Amino acid sequence: AQGLRGTPHRFPVGDLGDYGRQGKEASSRALPLRCHDIRAHVAPYLYNTVREHGKTCVSWFGPVPKVTIADPGVTREVMSNKFGHFEKLQFPTLTRLLAGGVAVYEGEKWVKHRRILNPAFHIEKLKNFQLMMPAFSACCEELVSRWTQSLGSDGWCEVDVCPAFQTLTGDVISRTAFGSSYLEGRRIFELQSVQADRIVAEVKKIFIPGYMSLPTKKNRLMHQTNNEIESILRGLIEKRMQAMQQGESTKDDLLGLMLESNMRETDDKGQPILGMTIEEVTMILYEVLRLYPPAVAFMRKTYKEIEIGSITYPAGVIIELPVLLIHHDPDIWGSDVHEFKPERFADGIAKASKDPGAFLPFGWGPRICIGQNFALLEAKMAVCMILQHFEFDLGPTYSHVPHNQKMLRPMHGAQIKLRAI
């Protein structure tokens, strides 16, 4: 009635059938090499719906209406809202099986946890040479060493860098988060990744009442995995708390920093705690994140009635914020939107496009990803160290099939030919 166009309501599954079918068809074929226009391939249903019905349009997530908003200004309005009108999309039965945190918490619980975590992820704290950089460096050196040992007699080797970088990320998180207990931390990271894959698959069955309570093999496995994760975490935290109470220094990793922050939080009664050239490497990372954002879209749900962009939405409407489409919109980025041009960020993020807020790889507003500084520091160090040791090219077996599962990743890996410099 307010003028929004979209797909017809089909009870009970809505557009999930078309979504799955189009996604399967797209992922069955490869794109041309070095083609960065990945919208119709990675998110075909989203792309086709917006193209047919407009940048603000309606589709159906099962029986629930979903409004896609591809206007960066309105997207920022949604993500910046602090008045309780929006909440994260929740699947309580499933998310209980995935270790929680600021990504899923709401309200006062989110405020408290975010305040505790902020000091540990402050950019100056992360840059502290004695704290984080040795861990970053050690993990990168191990990666370079493994690749060097793999070189053949002709000085070349082919490596699938996708799992290699996932391993690197897991090692960096484990070392910086858990210090000397990083092997246990790595196990948590591996279990969480597997559990997240299972939960993404199970979301498609969410409309079957009571399904997660059935003692199926998959359900039992997810519960067992969740119990193992919680057991390892509880053990790590209990040991560290005992060490802190005995006066031992615990500031050499993120776990120590967060526990210290948590203790200070309690003591202060909840008061906030206040705390190539490198420019070219930043520019490259930003352009990669623009063309291939980790999250294709962010999802919110209206908690109460609200007006967004002259449209009034009732409670219970899913709001989809399509980062991939915003990052690939020629009206925002220009006619060269699908070209790899790091120099567009030469004058900073705000001047890279016609809309200073159209770059959203880590989200926006109060719930912007707390780990963005951590991730970018890790990536900068990895890129710099790799470029010091290797030259590279696409491997002959590489197939360009970007795929959206938990995050945007190459479906068949990323085979790269390396040669020592």
Side-chain angles (χ1 to χ4, degrees):
Q2 298 181 76
L4 286 181
R5 297 161 50 199
T7 61
H9 184 203
R10 293 170 290 181
F11 185 83
V13 297
D15 297 316
L16 289 177
D18 290 342
Y19 180 93
R21 176 179 54 78
Q22 292 183 23
K24 186 175 181 179
E25 290 175 357
S27 63
S28 67
R29 58 184 184 273
L31 288 171
L33 292 180
R34 296 179 175 84
C35 170
H36 302 306
D37 185 2
I38 63 173
R39 299 168 296 173
H41 193 88
V42 170
Y45 186 79
L46 173 61
Y47 173 73
N48 292 330
T49 303
V50 169
R51 186 174 60 170
E52 181 177 353
H53 299 293
K55 290 186 179 181
T56 301
C57 59
V58 181
S59 58
W60 296 87
F61 187 77
V64 182
K66 180 178 70 173
V67 177
T68 299
I69 302 176
D71 180 313
V74 183
T75 294
R76 292 196 305 277
E77 180 183 339
V78 173
M79 298 181 113
S80 300
N81 187 283
K82 299 180 181 179
F83 302 108
H85 290 88
F86 301 100
E87 59 185 3
K88 287 289 191 79
L89 197 60
Q90 300 284 350
F91 301 98
T93 306
L94 286 171
T95 52
R96 280 198 295 269
L97 299 177
L98 194 65
V102 289
V104 295
Y105 292 156
E106 298 286 355
E108 288 300 316
K109 189 172 186 179
W110 174 82
V111 172
K112 178 182 178 181
H113 283 77
R114 181 80 182 212
R115 187 163 60 228
I116 291 170
L117 291 171
N118 274 337
F121 287 92
H122 191 278
I123 185 64
E124 295 307 319
K125 188 81 74 170
L126 292 174
K127 285 182 177 178
N128 184 325
F129 184 79
Q130 294 182 342
L131 187 63
M132 299 297 163
M133 296 317 237
F136 287 179
S137 178
C139 294
C140 292
E141 286 175 356
E142 288 180 6
L143 176 69
V144 168
S145 177
R146 288 196 298 271
W147 287 356
T148 300
Q149 293 173 14
S150 299
L151 294 173
S153 56
D154 59 353
W156 288 88
C157 70
E158 183 173 310
V159 175
D160 185 350
V161 300
C162 186
F165 284 146
Q166 289 181 44
T167 299
L168 173 66
T169 299
D171 285 349
V172 169
I173 292 173
S174 300
R175 284 182 187 271
T176 55
F178 301 107
S180 59
S181 304
Y182 84 96
L183 291 177
E184 292 165 283
R186 180 191 288 177
R187 177 62 178 163
I188 294 171
F189 184 83
E190 292 169 350
L191 288 170
Q192 278 281 84
S193 181
V194 171
Q195 190 80 323
D197 281 333
R198 294 180 187 136
I199 287 174
V200 168
E202 291 300 316
V203 164
K204 299 175 182 178
K205 306 172 185 175
I206 203 68
F207 299 108
I208 303 176
Y211 174 79
M212 289 305 299
S213 300
L214 298 176
T216 66
K217 182 177 180 180
K218 287 184 179 179
N219 288 348
R220 290 198 305 271
L221 189 58
M222 285 199 288
H223 283 283
Q224 291 168 3
T225 301
N226 182 61
N227 291 338
E228 184 177 353
I229 291 170
E230 291 186 353
S231 176
I232 296 172
L233 279 172
R234 278 196 300 269
L236 284 171
I237 292 170
E238 287 171 2
K239 285 190 291 187
R240 192 63 60 87
M241 290 294 288
Q242 290 175 3
M244 293 175 71
Q245 290 166 1
Q246 294 170 5
E248 295 181 23
S249 174
T250 61
K251 297 182 181 180
D252 61 342
D253 55 42
L254 288 176
L255 177 60
L257 284 170
M258 287 185 282
L259 289 176
E260 179 198 34
S261 179
N262 183 52
M263 294 175 77
R264 192 157 65 240
E265 164 86 6
T266 304
D267 292 341
D268 295 342
K269 298 181 180 180
Q271 295 300 310
I273 301 164
L274 306 173
M276 282 177 305
T277 66
I278 194 63
E279 290 78 15
E280 290 171 336
V281 176
T282 306
M283 284 162 57
I284 291 171
L285 292 177
Y286 285 162
E287 182 68 340
V288 170
L289 287 168
R290 182 186 71 82
L291 290 169
Y292 299 88
V296 170
F298 297 116
M299 307 285 266
R300 298 290 188 269
K301 192 174 185 179
T302 55
Y303 181 73
K304 57 182 72 173
E305 183 178 285
I306 183 176
E307 182 177 315
I308 313 169
S310 76
I311 302 292
T312 300
Y313 298 94
V317 175
I318 296 173
I319 304 295
E320 180 179 42
L321 310 172
V323 176
L324 180 66
L325 300 192
I326 293 172
H327 281 193
H328 283 257
D329 189 336
D331 294 337
I332 298 171
W333 299 91
S335 58
D336 60 356
V337 64
H338 303 307
E339 296 179 23
F340 181 73
K341 294 182 66 174
E343 61 269 23
R344 72 176 80 240
F345 289 96
D347 296 321
I349 291 173
K351 296 182 179 179
S353 71
K354 297 176 183 177
D355 188 311
F359 184 64
L360 304 163
F362 297 103
W364 190 272
R367 299 199 69 138
I368 193 168
C369 176
I370 196 171
Q372 64 170 324
N373 291 327
F374 183 99
L376 287 172
L377 279 175
E378 173 193 344
K380 289 173 186 176
M381 176 167 283
V383 169
C384 288
M385 292 185 69
I386 290 169
L387 291 178
Q388 289 177 41
H389 292 85
F390 302 101
E391 64 180 41
F392 50 87
D393 198 355
L394 281 176
T397 61
Y398 174 71
S399 179
H400 190 36
V401 188
H403 179 66
N404 182 37
Q405 187 62 23
K406 295 195 301 282
M407 292 184 175
L408 185 58
R409 288 179 176 155
M411 186 173 186
H412 304 302
Q415 294 77 21
I416 300 294
K417 286 187 65 178
L418 298 171
R419 187 178 75 84
I421 297 177

